[in-house]
């Protein structure tokens, strides 16, 4: 294994965050927003609004498709349907990450039909057209029957894809361009500190929920609901209403410390478990990267990604990764157990509430606005960022 280049920088970042948390813990404060913000409740139920969000945020914005290590070798591929458009993401024979519409240019059949694998070529089962890992058609049965008229349109249709910070980003914009630098901004340098290129995904799970995608996602954005909704579960692990918040444009970082923080701040800094401080990144529009754990002892990396299916349906994919991979069946069991423990409160508590709300929101009188308080600072930024993206 390569020795990490960022352990010291990550340690220093966590130490700074720990100091900010300690100061808040002593003062009984948090990184509050300056005021409350109001958002029209129709944002969650209006089908036109949903269509605009889906187009702008899921088909014209870079999305995290997987970890770099999920495409470990040349020829490794994965189907990626979560943006709506069926796509294949792969590492070509020269090691370059690419994406294509998973739609045969002949007459539209699905080319790759399994979820993942390794191949040097892909053959469409309908009429047997075959493509290499750069998307070029390398075999068209009875090609002469097309009378030389398919040369420009016989290849797989590319979508933007790029490997960055140990993650694979794609954009469901056929023949389009993706500007990751301007999308990520200064968040990029911080993602580097996480050394995600060394992480390995170990297990994943999908939660299907009746809710607008924003409503589901927002349950990850505040700890205001901890002492009420999660009083028997997560409130035993995390300090309620105590967090530090930073944002980079539409992206943010939230740190919700473990309850032990209140004892720790009374002790000397040398005793602080700085290197296991949980840090939660939100990569707009739909991906949370949590580096941490339910308990302070050990850190995992968890990706939680929400994918809208319709205005009132959302899938949440949770992927748990070991920062350096797993090396034994005990480690594997531990990681899988952690994923189950993280899924349960989301499914049974957060998403029980979001499903109930979904069933009711359409009955609110027109013009109803929801208020997001000072502790809901991340939600305030989220709604502002969506408005800005839709205006562009
Ligand atoms: S649709 Fe794929 S080969 Fe005809
Ligand atoms: Fe929650």
């Amino acid at each position: 294994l390569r020795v990490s280049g960022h352990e010291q920088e990550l340690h220093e970042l966590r130490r700074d965050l720990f100091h900010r948390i300690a100061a808040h813990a002593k003062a009984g404060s948090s990184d509050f927003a300056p005021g409350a913000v109001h958002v029209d409740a129709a944002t969650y139920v209006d089908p036109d609004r949903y269509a605009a969000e889906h187009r702008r945020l899921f088909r014209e914005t870079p999305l995290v498709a997987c970890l770099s290590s999920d495409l470990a070798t040349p020829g490794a591929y994965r189907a990626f349907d979560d943006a709506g458009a069926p796509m294949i993401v792969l590492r070509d024979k020269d090691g370059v990450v690419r994406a294509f519409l998973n739609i045969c240019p002949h007459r539209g059949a699905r080319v790759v039909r399994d979820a993942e694998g390794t191949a040097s070529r892909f053959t469409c089962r309908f009429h047997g057209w075959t493509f290499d890992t750069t998307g070029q058609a390398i075999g068209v049965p009875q090609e002469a029957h097309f009378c030389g008229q398919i040369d420009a349109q016989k290849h797989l249709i590319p979508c933007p894809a790029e490997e960055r910070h140990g993650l694979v980003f794609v954009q469901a914009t056929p023949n389009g361009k993706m500007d990751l630098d301007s999308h990520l901004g200064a968040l990029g340098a911080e993602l580097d500190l996480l050394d995600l290129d060394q992480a390995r995904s170990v297990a994943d799970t999908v939660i299907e929920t009746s809710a607008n995608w924003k409503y589901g996602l927002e349950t990850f954005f505040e700890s205001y609901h901890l002492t009420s909704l999660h009083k028997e579960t997560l409130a035993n692990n995390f300090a309620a209403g105590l967090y530090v918040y930073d944002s980079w444009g539409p992206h943010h970082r939230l740190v919700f410390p473990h309850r032990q923080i209140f004892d720790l701040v009374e002790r000397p800094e040398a005793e602080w478990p700085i290197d296991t401080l949980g840090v939660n990144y939100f990569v707009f529009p739909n991906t949370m990267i949590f580096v941490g754990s339910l308990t302070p002892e050990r850190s995992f990396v968890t990706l939680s990604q929400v994918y809208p299916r319709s205005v009132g349906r959302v899938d949440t994919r949770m992927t748990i990764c070991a920062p350096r991979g797993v090396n034994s069946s005990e480690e594997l069991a531990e990681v899988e157990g952690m994923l189950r423990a993280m899924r349960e409160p989301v499914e049974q508590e957060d998403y029980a509430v979001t499903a109930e709300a979904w069933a009711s929101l359409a009955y609110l009188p027109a013009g109803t606005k929801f208020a997001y308080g000072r502790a809901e600072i991340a939600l305030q930024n989220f709604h502002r960022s969506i408005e800005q993206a839709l205006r562009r």
Side-chain angles (χ1 to χ4, degrees):
L1 275 180
R2 190 168 70 72
V3 175
S4 155
H6 299 105
E7 267 165 15
Q8 186 58 29
E9 284 161 277
L10 183 60
H11 173 80
E12 283 163 18
L13 169 67
R14 280 173 150 152
R15 193 189 54 212
D16 291 348
L17 292 168
F18 223 110
H19 277 281
R20 285 170 59 189
I21 290 165
H24 278 316
K26 286 182 175 156
S29 58
S30 264
D31 286 343
F32 295 126
V37 160
H38 292 83
V39 173
D40 198 323
T43 338
Y44 295 108
V45 290
D46 176 7
D48 294 335
R49 167 70 183 230
Y50 171 75
E53 288 176 353
H54 195 269
R55 187 183 61 248
R56 183 72 191 90
L57 303 175
F58 287 86
R59 303 212 301 279
E60 298 174 358
T61 299
L63 300 175
V64 174
C66 57
L67 296 181
S68 279
S69 58
D70 291 328
L71 299 175
T73 54
Y77 64 86
R78 288 164 77 94
F80 181 72
D81 295 336
D82 289 323
M87 295 165 76
I88 320 167
V89 192
L90 58 78
R91 188 177 298 283
D92 76 13
K93 59 181 187 319
D94 299 319
V96 178
V97 165
R98 296 176 185 263
F100 303 97
L101 286 183
N102 191 6
I103 304 176
C104 183
H106 176 221
R107 277 169 48 202
R110 188 174 174 89
V111 179
V112 170
R113 296 173 56 249
D114 38 9
E116 59 185 13
T118 305
S120 57
R121 56 186 57 197
F122 305 97
T123 299
C124 176
R125 67 170 172 162
F126 201 173
H127 311 91
W129 287 26
T130 297
F131 310 91
D132 70 11
T133 55
T134 67
Q136 296 296 296
I138 52 170
V140 174
Q142 300 169 27
E143 186 163 0
H145 289 187
F146 293 94
C147 312
Q149 290 166 27
I150 54 164
D151 290 350
Q153 61 194 66
K154 66 178 179 181
H155 309 298
L156 291 178
I157 299 166
C159 294
E162 203 175 325
E163 201 171 1
R164 202 74 84 78
H165 318 301
L167 298 166
V168 173
F169 289 86
V170 297
Q171 190 173 300
T173 317
N175 295 316
K177 288 213 183 337
M178 171 168 78
D179 186 351
L180 263 186
D181 288 319
S182 68
H183 177 63
L184 294 176
L187 176 68
E190 178 125 352
L191 289 178
D192 265 339
L193 304 187
L194 307 181
D195 288 326
L196 294 174
D197 52 341
Q198 295 172 53
R200 300 288 176 269
S201 15
V202 177
D204 65 0
T205 185
V206 176
I207 312 174
E208 299 175 20
T209 316
S210 293
N212 182 262
W213 69 279
K214 301 186 294 297
Y215 206 103
L217 188 54
E218 285 164 353
T219 64
F220 293 84
F221 285 0
E222 43 92 359
S223 60
Y224 176 36
H225 70 282
L226 209 65
T227 38
S228 180
L229 183 60
H230 300 307
K231 61 176 173 292
E232 311 291 341
T233 55
L234 297 177
N236 295 320
N237 302 85
F238 294 99
L242 171 59
Y243 61 88
V244 292
Y245 169 82
D246 296 276
S247 62
W248 298 265
H251 319 289
H252 70 235
R253 179 183 64 210
L254 273 168
V255 180
F256 303 116
H258 292 109
R259 287 175 61 102
Q260 289 83 341
I261 190 73
F262 296 110
D263 302 327
L264 288 169
V265 295
E266 304 301 334
R267 302 220 294 265
E269 181 181 330
E271 293 177 29
W272 292 358
I274 286 171
D275 295 315
T276 53
L277 180 67
V279 185
N280 202 3
Y281 292 91
F282 173 55
V283 186
F284 186 80
N286 75 326
T287 296
M288 275 136 327
I289 304 173
F290 176 55
V291 181
S293 177
L294 290 178
T295 54
E297 283 77 45
R298 226 156 93 71
S299 258
F300 302 97
V301 179
T302 317
L303 261 58
S304 302
Q305 300 176 282
V306 304
Y307 294 104
R309 297 293 171 237
S310 68
V311 61
R313 288 293 295 177
V314 62
D315 287 354
T316 304
R317 180 183 304 281
M318 298 176 90
T319 308
I320 193 158
C321 315
R324 302 283 183 276
V326 291
N327 299 305
S328 67
S329 54
E330 289 79 20
E331 274 184 68
L332 178 63
E334 185 192 4
V335 177
E336 287 174 340
M338 185 58 61
L339 180 62
R340 274 195 303 280
M342 292 178 119
R343 175 183 165 123
E344 263 173 31
V346 173
E347 182 175 36
Q348 293 170 14
E349 294 169 356
D350 293 297
Y351 285 177
V353 167
T354 63
E356 281 170 12
W358 171 252
S360 319
L361 291 176
Y363 299 97
L364 286 167
T368 300
K369 289 190 186 303
F370 287 146
Y372 298 81
R374 295 185 59 202
E376 291 160 297
I377 184 169
L379 285 76
Q380 296 185 5
N381 192 50
F382 182 50
H383 284 278
R384 253 192 321 266
S385 303
I386 292 173
E387 294 291 344
Q388 279 168 10
L390 293 181
R391 273 201 301 272
R392 271 206 304 279

